[in-house]
Amino acid sequence: MKKCRVFSGMRATGLLHLGHLAGALTNWVKLQEDHDCYYSIVDWHALMSNYADSAETGKFCKDVLLDWLSVGLDPEKSCIFIQSHVPQHAELFLALSMIAPLGWLYRNPTYKEQIENLQNKDLSTFAFLGYPVLMAADILLYRAEKVPVGEDQSAHMELSREIVRRFNHFFGGGKEILPEPQTLLTPTPKVPGTDGRKMSKSYGNSLYISESPESMWNKLRVMITDPAREKRTDKGDPDKCPVWDIHKVFNKDMGQRAEIDKGCRTAGIGCVDCKKMLNAHIASMMEPIHERRARYEKDPNTLDDILANGAKRAERTATETMSDIYPAMGLISRADRVV
Ligand code: TRP
């Protein structure tokens, strides 16, 4: 039986943290068992907002690759590649831009929000407005049926679907040239950073996947807890504690969790006791991940091979799709286009 095709991407903006692990990667690793998965490190998308700071984009791609491999994304099972290595992404982005209405792009809530929130960056560019068009191209190039993303990408996914419908309407003559992708909404558990705010590289509050056990503990040790619990003898409220939020994601020992909940509320245990238990769960979860990372880090040639093979495989599928798109749009497909 033909496996269902999945596509997803992550921007190349540096090391990945526990939020990425719980909100996306754990699910991606599961999906690769029974789906035909394409996972792309989207460096063009990273440049769309970080063009003024572009020097490290290549290094960030390698960071993401190592993080992906260390958590168990397997290049034998999934097609893993860098977006810019497959030029058809740019080609389909151009093709879709013929029919992408400016009104839809200006109305995109993510666009409006980012323009307002990231005042320190000039995001009034042609490319940034077209962010969802490139995202649609990513997905459609592989005719992906399912796209695992978090809630924050819902508006982008809706735009992708509207763009395909419009594309098929103009160029399909009643036929479906490209399929409408479905959103596979991934539940994104709350993983706050060490200061209690949303975990984010730009806040400097992240617990990274590649964090050494020592450094993980040093960060957890000083992590903010229920602010009302100032002294060891004060009773706490787990529902007001960001450390507890992380327990709920990574501590699978429900008996222990019940004990911590009670111990906190009665001041039976202190915050350091609670953090030590969380640290132990994270450390054992991370052990195989760090072992895998060390193995891959030893051999940069393997990493280059993985990227080269991924790009080759992705490009084969991409070329097939483009060879359908050219004639549909009334263009002459290159006679020597190798599919
Ligand atoms: N916009 C996505 C994000 O910020 C990344 C992305 C780019 C993506 N292209 C995609 C996700 C295609 C799914 C499918 O998380």
Side-chain angles (χ1 to χ4, degrees):
M1 214 184 67
K2 210 173 137 282
K3 286 188 198 166
C4 176
R5 173 80 49 87
V6 162
F7 182 96
S8 201
M10 233 177 238
R11 285 149 37 87
T13 52
L15 292 171
L16 303 178
H17 52 59
L18 296 188
H20 294 113
L21 180 61
L25 293 174
T26 305
N27 188 237
W28 290 16
V29 171
K30 277 195 210 119
L31 282 169
Q32 68 181 350
E33 295 308 323
D34 48 6
H35 292 74
D36 179 19
C37 296
Y38 285 70
Y39 294 129
S40 183
I41 301 166
V42 292
D43 49 353
W44 284 126
H45 274 109
L47 284 184
M48 283 175 167
S49 50
N50 298 343
Y51 63 88
D53 262 310
S54 68
E56 288 197 294
T57 313
K59 176 183 177 295
F60 292 161
C61 288
K62 295 271 171 98
D63 288 341
V64 171
L65 176 66
L66 253 178
D67 281 330
W68 281 9
L69 296 170
S70 67
V71 301
L73 284 190
D74 181 349
E76 299 288 323
K77 293 176 183 159
S78 299
C79 180
I80 295 172
F81 66 100
I82 293 179
Q83 183 188 37
S84 67
H85 288 184
V86 181
Q88 286 82 355
H89 286 258
E91 198 181 3
L92 184 52
F93 171 60
L94 175 64
L96 295 177
S97 72
M98 304 301 154
I99 52 109
L102 280 175
W104 294 5
L105 300 176
Y106 280 122
R107 252 179 274 124
N108 166 21
T110 324
Y111 175 75
K112 290 201 264 187
E113 200 184 284
Q114 305 248 34
I115 290 275
E116 275 166 35
N117 291 348
L118 304 174
Q119 298 262 358
N120 55 333
K121 290 183 187 177
D122 180 4
L123 294 180
S124 304
T125 58
F126 171 59
F128 192 66
L129 183 66
Y131 187 105
V133 182
L134 180 58
M135 187 162 155
D138 295 343
I139 299 162
L140 300 173
L141 203 45
Y142 305 96
R143 299 186 147 101
E145 298 156 84
K146 291 185 181 169
V147 182
V149 285
E151 181 68 46
D152 64 318
Q153 297 298 313
S154 292
H156 285 154
M157 285 306 300
E158 200 45 55
L159 262 170
S160 287
R161 270 193 297 279
E162 278 166 342
I163 290 171
V164 196
R165 273 184 238 134
R166 199 167 152 88
F167 184 90
N168 286 332
H169 168 75
F170 274 104
F171 305 123
K175 273 206 325 253
E176 186 189 89
I177 309 214
L178 297 169
E180 258 182 63
Q182 297 305 311
T183 306
L184 206 64
L185 205 61
T186 320
T188 31
K190 188 173 168 197
V191 184
T194 49
D195 58 359
R197 292 189 291 173
K198 185 183 156 64
M199 196 179 285
S200 159
K201 185 184 165 188
S202 49
Y203 293 156
N205 64 358
S206 294
L207 304 165
Y208 291 104
I209 293 174
S210 52
E211 205 92 56
S212 72
E214 298 74 35
S215 150
M216 185 69 81
W217 171 241
N218 284 333
K219 287 185 175 182
L220 283 178
R221 205 168 43 84
V222 296
M223 180 162 173
I224 185 172
T225 58
D226 172 4
R229 198 175 181 197
E230 284 174 22
K231 297 194 298 295
R232 168 69 180 79
T233 48
D234 294 334
K235 289 174 184 166
D237 182 354
D239 297 328
K240 297 195 174 111
C241 177
V243 174
W244 183 241
D245 285 322
I246 303 187
H247 260 292
K248 285 189 282 189
V249 181
F250 296 114
N251 180 353
K252 310 285 182 217
D253 182 346
M254 298 307 283
Q256 186 188 59
R257 258 164 59 182
E259 277 170 37
I260 296 172
D261 182 88
K262 183 160 167 257
C264 176
R265 290 176 197 280
T266 56
I269 63 166
C271 291
V272 176
D273 303 315
C274 164
K275 287 172 168 178
K276 273 186 186 154
M277 288 184 260
L278 176 59
N279 186 58
H281 288 289
I282 293 181
S284 67
M285 170 176 78
M286 286 304 172
E287 207 177 274
I289 294 178
H290 289 162
E291 270 170 26
R292 233 179 272 125
R293 186 188 200 86
R295 253 183 284 139
Y296 278 114
E297 260 173 346
K298 259 196 290 195
D299 197 355
N301 289 334
T302 311
L303 298 180
D304 290 340
D305 286 348
I306 288 170
L307 289 177
N309 287 331
K312 222 179 281 164
R313 208 178 126 195
E315 187 160 20
R316 264 199 303 274
T317 311
T319 305
E320 241 171 73
T321 305
M322 289 315 295
S323 72
D324 289 340
I325 286 177
Y326 268 69
M329 293 183 80
L331 304 175
I332 301 169
S333 208
R334 258 175 70 171
D336 63 345
R337 195 188 278 269
V338 188
V339 178

